[in-house]
Amino acid sequence: MADDPPKPYCARYKCIALTFDDGPWPYTPELLDTLKKHKAKATFFLLGRKVVSRAELTQRIVQEGHEVGNHTWSHPDLTKLSDDEIMEEMTSTSDAIERVIGEKPAMMRPPNGATDARVTRLMAELALPQILWTGSTLDWQARDVAVITKRTLKLAKRNGVILLHDIVPETVKAMPAVLKTLEKQGYHFVTVTTLLQGRELEGGEIYPARSK
Ligand code: NI
């Protein structure tokens, strides 16, 4: 009999996936420095139009062990676009990411979490699972370091997926205290793929599944 395979990382450790949307942006390097200091990995949902203007920063994100996903080219509400427009938003961004880092992203996040049966069908065609979140900090509304810190800590839970934005400077400023506190609580900061513990998502599949 073969030995049992080692348990997946997040079965052994208390994991959380911090996700940062709408970059890469000039605040992203400071965030990367903070993540590195804590040996934290995160997931960045990138806008294609920003990837082309910040190719080196996009490369740095990946080189430092973080994961990147497709967050469209220009951040539209996908449910309001035609099929062709949706495909253009998605493929232009995946192509831009591939040109910069050498591979296409394996997941996407619809802007504002807006999806429906049609968007889901198109994402299935593109073999891109739709990654949402368990907790949204609404950091872009808060614009306050203390508020964002408090909300992130409150939303933190084992295997949680937390929505943040590296285009919000107060979010970047909040991360040192957030990481320090969650670290003390035993959290390990991982990419969405690590959180999935080897489970392969279907194209179009929504993760974490929405509660009914
Ligand atoms: Ni966004």
Side-chain angles (χ1 to χ4, degrees), residues 136-139 142 144-157 162 164 170-171 173-179 181-182 185:
S136 169
T137 58
L138 300 178
D139 53 345
D144 181 291
V145 175
V147 171
I148 294 167
T149 303
K150 207 172 131 192
R151 281 189 192 162
T152 309
L153 294 175
K154 200 171 170 205
L155 290 167
K157 61 172 186 176
I162 308 299
L164 295 149
E170 293 84 359
T171 295
K173 295 284 179 217
M175 285 307 107
V178 165
L179 291 176
T181 304
L182 292 180
Q185 294 173 7

Side-chain angles (χ1 to χ4, degrees), residues 21-22 47 71 75 110-112 165:
D21 288 12
D22 301 358
L47 294 180
H71 195 44
H75 211 270
N112 309 317
H165 294 83

Side-chain angles (χ1 to χ4, degrees), residues 62-83:
V62 173
Q63 279 160 4
E64 296 187 0
H66 308 292
E67 180 160 47
V68 298
N70 184 328
H71 195 44
T72 74
W73 186 266
S74 61
H75 211 270
D77 180 337
L78 292 178
T79 65
K80 299 201 161 65
L81 300 187
S82 71
D83 289 13

